[in-house]
Amino acid sequence: MQLKNYMEDFVLQKLDSVLKLYPDCCDCPQCRQDIAILALNHLPPKYVSTDKGSIYARLDQMSLTYGVEVLEEIARAVEVVSEHPRHEEKP
Ligand SMILES: [Zn+2]
């Protein structure tokens, strides 16, 4: 059985474009992961079987249905992580 949460791909796909709007937000791997996790925990998971259909066709469909909601959740997560980054402080 092959299951995949497409919401995960979708959030990762949109992460960069949202981060561009927040030049002050750290984009180290730790912060990027925290932002993705925070956003995903506020969004409904969308599980599909990986053995049929193209991922990208599905992402287009998701974009129409959840585009605005996903961007809002990522933006919110960026703000939270900017205020409380968990990465090591640089000396
Ligand atoms: Zn960071």
Side-chain angles (χ1 to χ4, degrees):
M1 187 168 61
Q2 293 286 317
L3 290 178
K4 181 161 178 58
N5 180 3
Y6 272 97
M7 190 57 91
E8 205 176 302
D9 280 28
F10 192 45
V11 165
L12 294 177
Q13 194 192 50
K14 296 290 175 200
L15 190 58
D16 283 315
S17 52
V18 176
L19 275 171
K20 278 195 197 112
L21 305 174
Y22 293 85
D24 292 339
C25 181
C26 176
D27 67 347
C28 76
Q30 172 82 65
C31 291
R32 293 171 70 94
Q33 181 175 296
D34 285 349
I35 292 164
I37 289 171
L38 210 57
L40 282 166
N41 280 337
H42 288 112
L43 289 162
K46 288 292 154 197
Y47 283 99
V48 292
S49 154
T50 52
D51 54 19
K52 38 180 150 149
S54 138
I55 290 178
Y56 297 101
R58 288 167 193 273
L59 283 173
D60 278 352
Q61 187 57 44
M62 295 258 309
S63 189
L64 290 174
T65 314
Y66 295 105
V68 174
E69 198 180 340
V70 166
L71 292 179
E72 280 175 2
E73 283 301 342
I74 298 173
R76 203 167 299 159
V78 165
E79 282 166 22
V80 172
V81 170
S82 310
E83 277 174 38
H84 305 283
R86 291 199 303 134
H87 56 219
E88 303 280 325
E89 290 292 339
K90 293 192 185 96

